Structures are given as structure tokens and as C-alpha cells.
């Protein structure tokens, strides 16, 4: 157990801080939420700046275009970027945080060479085509079909809730390649170009008012068989790798952001008199403990999961059917976060909603102003207990895979 | 940074767990419900294993380990529900003669609490009072002989922890070298570690029962409502674990306040849910669940309750 940073890590932090202080003031103003081309350009430009400065794919292995940095350096990067108010990954989310790591872990050398550098440079944006209208929580029920025709798959079906689809170049797409096989065994993981003929994107409006996600209609879309990551029909296993990245490490930076917001809430409450309310004060105090602990849990999970960077072998962590300390996988798990991600996601997604409910209390009547950033964030926080696997599904995972309780219906 | 247990730490934890399982199993636990007097033989055995002298320098006959190790050991104490003023023994092993070797049992009283409660009044040889309210404020630390302390009866909610209310005490013998704020901080942390151990144990107990008890022709653990209770328990315990371990590494007062808050929540919440999973059986005196719940309630009031911790954590935000 060691939380201390080495001199080398502190030096890394200092260099990063200096760099952030230098570049952030020069960034153009943030585009409005509805300006998708503007958002894409903004997010891609930020990614390019990171790339040029040597901060892109920090903890990816060098042969996947990354810097092979330590997990601690990656945490320092997330911490400092957030503290300095650097842009969030935004439209680069899927590529950087789960499609990319999946390709790094499961792709062939040619696939890694083709897809990873453009993700790191911000040249290409990815989206995730997993969910379907009839296959959400029950993802393995997906029906979008891919029929082999020569060197291509011909894909027909539809996807839903596809975030960033409007601006994506690539889609990590789950398709059914063997309709006869048991449902988990006939799925494949494809990289589909979004500009292929037959792809139609229909934006959906979220409750927050923006078009964060979309419906995809796929009508005989030809995808080269070489775009399949992992073996044919073995896509479910690859998907588990993707999902463990999505749940395990993708939200890490946000915890720092929540801690910053919490401080702002307290100072605002001081200024507007709400601080005199002991109930509110105690609520904020409790959230302080909660987010501090979530950060510690992150450090623990990252320490455990990322001792070896992604792509350097090792199967996904499989926890023993036991609890607590004993349930944690011993040693390194090849960079793929284990079930600790579900524990984190469950608590974090609810804590984030509580945070913005507390913000509404601090704001009083102003909480009805949808233009206030805290109100916008309060709305978007509502997605956290649904997206990337609902809380109910996470609880099933914790109960069955960590605690070893029998499967039910 | 490598925030995982080292091999030595795992070995220490496993060794403590084995020692306690061997010397304080279910039979001993149930016997202690009728007579919660600390077992002096076990006390000396714990001392021989280095339990009390864990953090004393090797030059002074100690083991030379730190707070993280003490926390791992107290997690095991919490799992086993071992009764007795163990936190006091660990904190005062260097300051009171005979404690490190298990010859004498020392109790520690929070003089700033209301009411001032004294654990195991009939079974300790020395009593130490820590004055001063808030953890960061300095206060006096002094020792008393149990006979010179005036007491009133107090019906303890926890059958394993007899209590009396202190009604009067002399304040004449300061304890040399004692640091009140440090004692408070570390007492809170070790208490939080016990809460964590209890929280982990009740998840295990609930899961074990849910696997084995059948209703409607299936193990109750296959029902989602039961699964989700159990999953919630694990999440509480794991969040508390991250907080308690980190606070042990930093030793920071605010980290400790937060860790105590979350560990209290984990121990109390998990004991309640464990009781629920056990159904009617859970409500009996025979089941151990109530012992975990009652001790968790007691510990939650010790060395900084929720109100105090939340206020401190809130003030830190606004500062
Ligand atoms: C903002 C946002 C962004 C998203 N982005 C993407 C994306 O980019 N790509 C993508 O593929 N998907 C995306 N999703 C989809 C997301 O993964 C699904 O919404 C989620 O998995 C739930 O599926 P569903 O919407 O079909 O709900 P359903 O599965 O229909 O669930 C409805 C309710 O039933 C409950 N339920 C379902 N099954 C069970 C069960 N077995 N036990 C207990 N309760 C159950 C659920 O918890 C939920 O409360 C996004 C969703 C949101 C909200």
C-alpha cells in the first residue's frame, strides 16, 4: 500500500502543469452543445495538441502508438488536466477509452497500425454500435446480421443510443454472424466505416435537449472481413473486454471534476446564505467523503488492473467467488480492468446524481435555469445509472461474478 | 504509487485471521455474550503475536510496523467481533506499562463525548481519559485507577460491550508523552477498521445464507431482490475499504473522518441488510447478525459520530 509519488512522477506532474498553463489560455471558446461539427473540431484539435505534446495514449503500450507510461502517470494526467480545467475527451470518448484499448488488446498488428494512431492524433472519431431497440441490457439478444459475401460482411439491421454517431468516422459494431449458434457464440466485433453506403444516422434528442446519441440504420452495408477484431463468432468475448474498459476506467477523470464542483457548491452556499442550513451542509460533507473515497477506489482499481498496459497479454480479470479483499484478483490482469469497475460504476453513478441534486439545493430557484452549467450537468447525470450498463445490471454482475450467487431469472 | 496490499501485509492479515478463528471461534463468541470479560489468556497470546506492540519500534521490543498494518489487524478483530478494549491496547502499548505484553488491560475514554462512556469497566486495570472535543484540538490526557472513577449504570445496547457512564473523576495524573489529537485520530481510524471488518463479514454471512437457504424451490440468492441487497453490501464495504486503507497510509485527520463516516455506514448498513437476508432467523438472539449490528451502532458513536464528521468535511470544502 503506497500512495506516494516518486520524484520522477512529481517531475512528470510539474512538466504537465507547466504545459497546461501555457496552452489552455490559447484554446478557442467552447462550441455550444448543439453545434456538432464545432464540437468535433474542438475535441479533435485538443486531442491533436495532446498528441503533439506527447500526452496522447499515455498508458497505451508503445507498439500501439502510446507512451507506455505508468498507470500512476496516467492518473496524474487525469488529475492535473481536470484541475486545470482542460477540455474533456468529448467526442474522442469511445475511441480513446474503449474502442482503442480493445483494438490494442485484441487487434492484429495491422489493425493496431491502421486504427490506433488516428485515434491518438484526433483524426478519427469512433462511436459504439452495441445497443439495439430490442437488445439493451440483454445485449446478447442483438439481431443486426452480418452475412459473409466474399471478402466482405453484408450488414443489415439497426442500432440505437449511439453516442456521437453524427460525427463519427468509425463504429465499433456488434453483429450476429451465426444465427444458428447459441446467442453468445454467434456474435462478431467489427469496425464499420460510418461513411459506407447503406449507413443512415437519425439523431435522437435527449432529455437534456441535445442530440447526444442517434439511431443507426444499416441497409446491406459492406464491411471488409479484415475489419473484424477477434475471431469470427468470438465477438462476445471481445465485447466483455470493451465493456470492462468502459466501466472500469472510462469515468476516472470525472471523479476529480466532481470534487472540484463540490468545492464550488460549498463556496456558493457560503456566499448565498444556504450554508446556514445544517442539513445541506452535512449532505455536502458526506459527499466530500464519498468522492474522496471514490478517488481512492479508482487508485486501487487502476493499481490493480493496469500494472501491465493494455495489449500486453493476460485474460480479463476473473474474480473468485468470494468477497472484499479476497475477491480482488491477485497480481496483474493484463491491463483489462476487472469487476472492480462495476463496484465503482454503481456507487459513482449514484453519487454524481446526488451531487447535482445538492447543487440544485444550493441554487434554489436558479435550479430552474436550464442554461446554468450545474443544471445542464444535473440533466446529463441522469444518464449515468443507465448508460454503460444500468445499475440493476451492475448489481447482477457484482452479485453473480464477484459474490458468486446463483444465476436467476 | 501502488495501492495494493504487499505480500507481507497479506500474510499479516491471514495470520491474524487464523489466530482469531482458532482462539475466538463461534463457541467462544457465544460464550462471550454471556460473559464479555476479555480472555486474559487470549490477551497474552495476542501480545505474543505482536498485536499490541505492532507499532512500537523494534528497539523497544516492538514489531516496528505502521498504521496500515494496524488497520489490517483491526479489520480482522472487527470480522471476528472480538470484544474488549483492543483499540486502547494498541494505542497505549508504548505509554502504559504491561499493556504491550498483554499483562495489563487498559481502557480509553473519550472525555469530550456526551455521555462519557467507559467500556469494560470491570475488566480493565488502568483507565486513560482523553479530553478536548474536536479531534484537531489539543486536550489533556491523564490516567486513573478504575477504583477512583465515579460511575453510574448504563444498559449497553451491545451485549459484548459492557458500559458505564462516568460521573466523576480526578484529573491529577497526566500521561507523559501522550498526544490527545493523535490518540483521537488513531482511535477513530482503528475503530473504522473494525467497522470495515464487520461490514465484510456480514456480506459473507449474507451471501453464504443466500446460497444455502431455499424458498419457492430455489436458493434465495437466485432472486434478484436478494442479489441486489448483497451487491449493495459489497459496494458499501469496498468503498469503505478504499477510504480506510488510504487514510491509514496518509494518517490525515480529514481522510480519517471521511473513512470513519463511510465505514460506519458500511458496518451499520451491511448488518441491517444481512439481517434482512436472514429473514425471521435474522431477528433471533441465536443468529450473530444482531451482534454485528449492535457493535456497529456502538462504534459509530465512538471517536466522532456522523454529525461531527460531516460538519468537518463540509467546513473543509468551504475553506
Ligand atoms: C446517454 C446514453 C448514451 C448511450 N450511448 C450508447 C452508445 O454509444 N452505444 C451503445 O451501444 N449504447 C449506448 N447507450 C445504451 C445503453 O447501454 C442502454 O441504454 C442500457 O444498456 C440499457 O438498455 P435499454 O436502454 O435497452 O434498457 P432496458 O434494457 O430495456 O432496461 C429498462 C429497465 O429495465 C431494467 N432491466 C433490464 N433487464 C434487467 C434485468 N435482467 N434485471 C433487472 N433489471 C433489468 C433496466 O435496469 C432498466 O431499468 C447509451 C445510453 C444512454 C442513456
Amino acid at each position: 500500500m503506497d500512495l506516494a509519488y516518486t520524484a520522477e512522477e512529481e517531475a512528470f506532474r510539474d512538466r504537465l502543469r507547466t504545459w497546461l498553463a501555457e496552452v489552455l489560455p490559447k484554446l478557442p471558446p467552447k462550441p455550444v452543445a448543439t453545434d456538432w461539427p464545432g464540437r468535433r473540431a474542438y475535441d479533435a484539435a485538443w486531442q491533436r495538441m495532446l498528441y503533439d505534446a506527447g500526452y496522447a495514449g499515455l498508458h497505451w503500450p508503445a507498439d500501439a502508438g502510446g507512451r507506455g507510461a505508468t498507470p500512476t502517470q496516467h492518473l496524474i494526467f487525469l488529475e492535473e488536466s481536470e484541475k486545470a480545467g482542460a477540455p474533456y475527451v468529448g467526442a474522442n470518448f469511445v475511441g480513446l477509452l474503449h474502442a482503442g484499448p480493445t483494438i490494442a488488446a485484441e487487434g492484429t498488428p495491422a489493425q493496431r497500425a491502421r486504427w490506433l494512431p488516428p485515434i491518438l492524433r484526433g483524426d478519427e472519431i469512433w462511436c459504439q454500435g452495441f445497443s439495439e431497440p430490442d437488445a439493451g441490457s440483454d445485449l446478447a439478444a442483438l439481431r443486426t446480421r452480418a452475412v459473409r459475401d466474399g471478402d466482405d460482411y453484408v450488414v443489415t439491421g439497426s442500432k440505437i443510443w449511439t453516442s456521437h454517431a453524427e460525427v463519427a468516422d468509425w463504429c465499433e459494431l456488434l453483429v450476429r454472424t451465426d444465427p444458428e449458434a447459441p446467442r453468445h457464440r454467434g456474435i462478431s466485433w467489427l469496425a464499420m466505416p460510418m461513411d459506407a453506403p447503406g449507413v443512415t444516422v437519425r439523431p435522437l434528442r435527449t432529455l437534456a435537449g441535445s442530440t447526444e446519441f442517434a439511431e443507426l440504420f444499416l441497409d446491406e452495408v459492406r464491411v471488409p472481413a479484415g475489419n473484424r477484431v477477434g475471431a469470427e463468432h468470438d465477438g462476445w468475448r471481445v465485447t466483455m473486454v470493451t465493456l470492462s474498459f468502459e466501466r472500469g476506467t472510462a469515468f476516472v477523470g470525472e471523479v476529480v471534476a466532481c470534487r472540484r464542483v463540490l468545492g464550488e457548491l460549498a463556496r456558493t452556499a457560503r456566499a448565498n446564505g444556504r450554508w446556514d442550513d445544517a442539513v445541506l451542509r452535512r449532505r455536502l460533507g458526506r459527499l466530500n467523503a464519498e468522492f474522496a473515497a471514490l478517488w481512492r477506489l479508482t487508485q486501487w482499481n487502476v493499481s490493480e488492473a493496469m500494472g501491465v498496459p493494455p495489449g500486453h497479454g493476460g485474460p480479463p480479470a476473473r474474480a473468485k467467488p468470494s468477497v472484499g479483499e479476497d475477491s480482488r484478483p491477485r497480481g496483474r490482469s493484463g491491463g483489462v480492468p476487472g469487476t472492480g469497475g462495476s463496484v465503482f460504476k454503481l456507487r459513482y453513478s449514484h453519487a454524481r446524481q446526488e451531487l447535482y441534486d445538492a447543487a440544485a439545493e444550493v441554487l434554489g430557484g436558479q435550479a430552474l435555469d436550464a442554461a446554468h452549467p450545474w443544471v445542464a450537468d444535473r440533466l446529463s447525470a441522469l444518464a449515468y445509472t443507465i448508460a454503460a450498463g444500468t445499475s440493476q445490471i451492475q448489481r447482477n454482475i457484482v452479485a453473480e461474478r464477484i459474490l458468486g450467487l446463483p444465476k436467476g431469472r | 504509487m501502488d495501492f495494493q496490499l504487499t505480500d507481507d501485509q497479506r500474510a499479516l492479515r491471514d495470520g491474524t485471521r487464523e489466530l482469531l478463528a482458532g482462539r475466538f471461534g463461534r463457541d467462544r463468541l457465544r460464550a462471550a455474550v454471556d460473559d464479555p470479560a476479555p480472555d486474559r489468556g487470549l490477551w497474552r497470546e495476542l501480545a505474543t503475536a505482536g498485536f499490541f506492540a505492532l507499532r512500537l519500534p523494534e528497539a523497544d521490543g516492538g514489531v516496528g510496523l505502521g498504521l496500515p498494518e494496524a488497520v489490517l489487524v483491526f479489520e480482522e478483530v472487527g470480522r471476528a467481533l472480538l470484544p474488549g478494549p483492543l483499540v486502547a491496547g494498541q494505542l497505549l502499548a508504548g505509554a502504559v506499562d504491561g499493556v504491550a505484553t498483554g499483562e495489563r488491560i487498559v481502557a480509553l475514554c473519550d472525555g469530550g463525548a456526551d455521555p462519557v462512556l467507559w467500556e469494560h469497566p470491570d475488566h480493565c486495570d488502568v483507565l486513560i481519559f482523553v479530553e478536548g472535543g474536536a479531534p484537531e484540538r489539543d486536550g489533556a490526557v491523564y490516567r486513573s485507577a478504575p477504583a477512583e472513577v465515579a460511575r453510574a449504570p448504563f444498559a449497553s445496547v451491545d451485549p459484548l460491550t459492557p458500559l458505564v457512564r462516568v460521573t466523576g473523576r480526578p484529573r491529577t495524573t497526566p500521561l507523559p508523552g501522550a498526544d490527545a489529537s493523535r490518540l483521537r485520530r488513531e482511535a477513530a481510524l482503528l475503530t473504522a477498521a473494525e467497522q470495515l471488518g464487520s461490514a465484510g463479514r456480514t456480506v459473507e454471512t449474507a451471501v453464504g445464507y443466500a446460497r444455502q437457504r431455499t424458498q419457492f424451490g430455489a436458493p434465495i440468492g437466485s432472486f434478484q431482490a436478494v442479489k441486489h441487497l448483497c451487491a449493495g453490501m459489497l459496494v458499501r464495504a469496498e468503498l469503505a475499504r478504499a477510504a480506510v486503507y488510504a487514510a491509514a497510509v496518509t494518517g490525515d485527520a480529514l481522510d480519517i473522518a471521511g473513512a470513519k463516516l463511510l465505514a460506519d455506514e458500511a458496518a451499520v448498513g451491511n448488518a441491517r441488510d444481512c439481517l434482512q437476508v436472514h429473514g425471521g432467523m435474522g431477528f433471533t438472539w441465536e443468529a450473530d447478525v444482531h451482534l454485528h449490528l449492535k457493535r456497529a451502532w456502538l462504534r459509530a458513536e465512538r471517536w466522532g459520530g456522523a454529525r461531527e464528521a460531516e460538519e468537518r468535511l463540509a467546513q473543509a470544502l468551504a475553506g
Side-chain angles (χ1 to χ4, degrees):
Chain A
M1 268 195 277
D2 177 15
L3 291 167
Y5 295 110
T6 62
E8 198 185 318
E9 285 161 353
E10 290 297 355
F12 170 81
R13 187 194 294 278
D14 283 346
R15 278 198 308 280
L16 175 60
R17 259 191 203 155
T18 311
W19 180 74
L20 286 168
E22 191 188 309
V23 300
L24 290 181
K26 295 187 213 142
L27 284 184
K30 256 201 164 108
V32 294
T34 46
D35 173 11
W36 272 104
R39 283 173 66 178
R40 177 191 164 129
Y42 183 89
D43 295 344
W46 170 243
Q47 185 58 30
R48 180 71 202 204
M49 288 170 76
L50 288 173
Y51 181 83
D52 289 341
Y55 291 117
L58 258 187
H59 62 296
W60 291 21
D63 63 358
R67 301 275 150 180
T70 64
T72 308
Q73 282 174 324
H74 181 54
L75 276 188
I76 292 173
F77 172 80
L78 294 170
E79 204 176 6
E80 292 301 324
S81 309
E82 179 47 53
K83 277 189 186 154
Y88 184 56
V89 280
N92 290 304
F93 185 91
V94 172
L96 272 177
L97 300 181
H98 50 90
T102 302
I103 293 166
E106 297 287 333
T108 63
Q111 290 175 332
R112 291 156 66 131
R114 166 61 190 89
W115 286 310
L116 299 181
I119 290 175
L120 292 181
R121 284 194 303 260
D123 291 347
E124 291 179 349
I125 302 293
W126 283 66
C127 63
Q128 182 191 50
F130 283 13
S131 307
E132 297 184 5
D134 293 326
S137 300
D138 188 11
L139 186 54
L142 63 92
R143 287 205 304 242
T144 291
R145 285 186 64 168
V147 179
R148 189 70 180 255
D149 179 31
D151 287 341
D152 292 336
Y153 289 106
V154 178
V155 181
T156 302
S158 70
K159 295 285 172 178
I160 198 165
W161 323 127
T162 316
S163 302
H164 305 133
E166 277 185 80
V167 293
D169 305 292
W170 292 94
C171 178
E172 49 172 359
L173 187 75
L174 293 187
V175 292
R176 188 158 296 285
T177 37
D178 183 358
E180 308 303 324
R183 42 192 232 137
H184 293 93
R185 306 246 176 79
I187 294 170
S188 299
W189 197 108
L190 303 181
M192 178 184 76
M194 290 292 284
D195 60 0
V199 179
T200 308
V201 176
R202 194 173 77 196
L204 291 165
R205 192 153 183 230
T206 73
L207 60 73
S210 75
T211 52
E212 203 67 46
F213 48 34
E215 253 177 309
L216 290 188
F217 298 98
L218 309 173
D219 181 17
E220 304 204 335
V221 181
R222 296 192 83 87
V223 179
N227 286 17
R228 191 190 63 236
V229 174
E232 187 169 69
H233 313 320
D234 192 29
W236 186 253
R237 192 187 55 78
V238 182
T239 303
M240 291 303 108
V241 173
T242 309
L243 291 183
S244 65
F245 280 116
E246 183 174 9
R247 291 164 188 172
T249 47
F251 298 109
V252 166
E254 297 184 12
V255 176
V256 187
C258 287
R259 298 186 73 183
R260 176 175 49 71
V261 170
L262 194 53
E264 287 166 14
L265 295 192
R267 287 187 291 276
T268 305
R270 265 264 162 84
N272 72 9
R274 299 287 286 117
W275 191 251
D276 296 337
D277 176 349
V279 175
L280 175 63
R281 237 176 20 239
R282 289 187 59 181
R283 206 166 151 192
L284 295 178
R286 182 165 279 270
L287 283 167
N288 189 8
E290 184 123 349
F291 281 105
L294 282 164
W295 178 248
R296 297 309 192 184
L297 191 59
T298 297
Q299 289 180 314
W300 189 294
N301 284 341
V302 169
S303 268
E304 226 153 40
M306 299 176 73
V308 178
H312 279 209
R318 279 278 173 271
K320 285 186 286 172
S322 176
V323 292
E325 167 58 25
D326 293 327
S327 75
R328 293 179 167 277
R330 189 79 199 274
R332 308 306 192 185
S333 54
V336 181
T339 29
S342 289
V343 172
F344 172 83
K345 196 212 174 237
L346 257 174
R347 189 79 180 218
Y348 170 64
S349 54
H350 291 271
R352 187 179 170 100
Q353 292 175 355
E354 284 164 29
L355 172 70
Y356 285 104
D357 286 346
E361 258 204 65
V362 171
L363 287 174
Q366 247 204 302
L368 301 177
D369 173 4
H372 194 290
W374 291 347
V375 179
D377 286 339
R378 186 185 193 201
L379 290 170
S380 61
L382 296 171
Y384 279 67
T385 47
I386 298 171
T390 68
S391 291
Q392 286 70 36
I393 295 300
Q394 303 299 335
R395 287 191 192 98
N396 288 349
I397 291 173
V398 169
E400 289 170 11
R401 296 200 212 148
I402 303 186
L403 298 176
L405 285 168
K407 273 206 178 301
R409 272 143 298 128
Chain B
M1 186 203 75
D2 185 7
F3 191 23
Q4 298 185 84
L5 299 195
T6 63
D7 288 340
D8 285 349
Q9 287 170 335
R10 284 175 193 272
L12 175 69
R13 184 199 58 194
D14 296 348
T16 310
R17 187 172 299 182
E18 261 166 52
L19 171 70
L20 291 176
R23 288 291 276 109
F24 194 75
R26 178 103 210 297
D27 292 349
R28 280 292 300 121
L29 173 67
R30 297 311 302 201
V33 171
D34 299 325
D35 176 14
D39 169 349
R40 294 213 175 226
L42 174 57
W43 226 255
R44 275 187 291 271
E45 231 173 291
L46 286 172
T48 310
F51 184 90
F52 299 111
L54 194 71
R55 289 189 296 145
L56 297 182
E58 287 176 63
D60 301 342
V63 190
L65 294 173
L67 264 185
E69 284 79 17
V71 154
L72 291 175
V73 164
F74 272 79
E75 192 182 335
E76 294 308 317
V77 166
R79 274 178 61 90
L81 267 180
L82 186 62
L86 290 142
V87 169
Q90 162 64 217
L91 294 178
L92 297 162
V96 178
D97 278 354
V99 170
T101 55
E103 298 306 311
R104 300 174 85 193
I105 293 181
V106 61
L108 187 62
C109 246
D110 183 352
D114 180 22
V116 177
L117 295 177
W118 173 11
E119 296 183 10
H120 295 275
D122 299 331
H123 312 295
C124 67
D125 308 308
V126 189
L127 182 57
I128 304 296
F129 283 97
V130 188
E131 295 298 328
E136 75 274 22
R137 219 187 305 140
D138 277 345
V141 182
Y142 55 91
R143 66 186 282 168
S144 305
E148 57 191 27
V149 178
R151 54 179 98 174
F154 194 94
S156 176
V157 71
D158 174 17
L160 289 163
T161 313
L163 294 172
V164 291
R165 194 163 57 81
V166 172
T167 53
R169 70 258 197 197
R171 296 161 196 254
T172 44
T173 326
L175 187 70
D179 172 347
S181 65
R182 182 167 162 218
L183 279 176
R184 284 180 177 284
R185 247 189 351 259
E186 296 186 354
L189 179 66
L190 297 181
T191 306
E194 290 184 312
Q195 294 285 56
L196 174 61
S198 173
R201 184 59 176 266
T202 46
V203 192
E204 253 174 48
T205 309
V207 168
Y209 192 75
R211 282 205 191 112
Q212 153 247 311
R213 169 76 172 168
T214 64
Q215 287 293 296
F216 302 97
I220 57 168
S222 68
F223 303 132
Q224 203 171 49
V226 173
K227 260 183 211 172
H228 286 196
L229 274 178
C230 295
M233 292 169 75
L234 183 78
V235 171
R236 272 191 215 116
E238 288 291 280
L239 190 73
R241 178 184 312 286
V244 170
Y245 287 3
V249 173
T250 66
D252 175 76
L254 209 61
D255 286 349
I256 291 174
K260 174 79 170 27
L261 189 65
L262 294 172
D264 288 344
E265 175 192 297
V268 172
N270 281 10
R272 271 181 195 280
D273 286 352
C274 182
L275 198 152
Q276 184 68 21
V277 169
H278 279 74
M281 177 57 75
F283 194 68
T284 66
W285 188 266
E286 248 331 283
D288 296 342
V289 188
H290 71 112
L291 300 176
H292 277 282
L293 179 59
K294 290 164 180 173
R295 188 83 73 86
W297 275 341
L298 187 127
R299 293 191 199 106
E301 292 303 319
R302 312 283 287 149
W303 308 110
R307 180 194 312 268
E308 182 186 323
E310 284 166 352
E311 283 287 0
R312 274 166 61 78
L313 287 153
Q315 298 303 339
L317 278 176

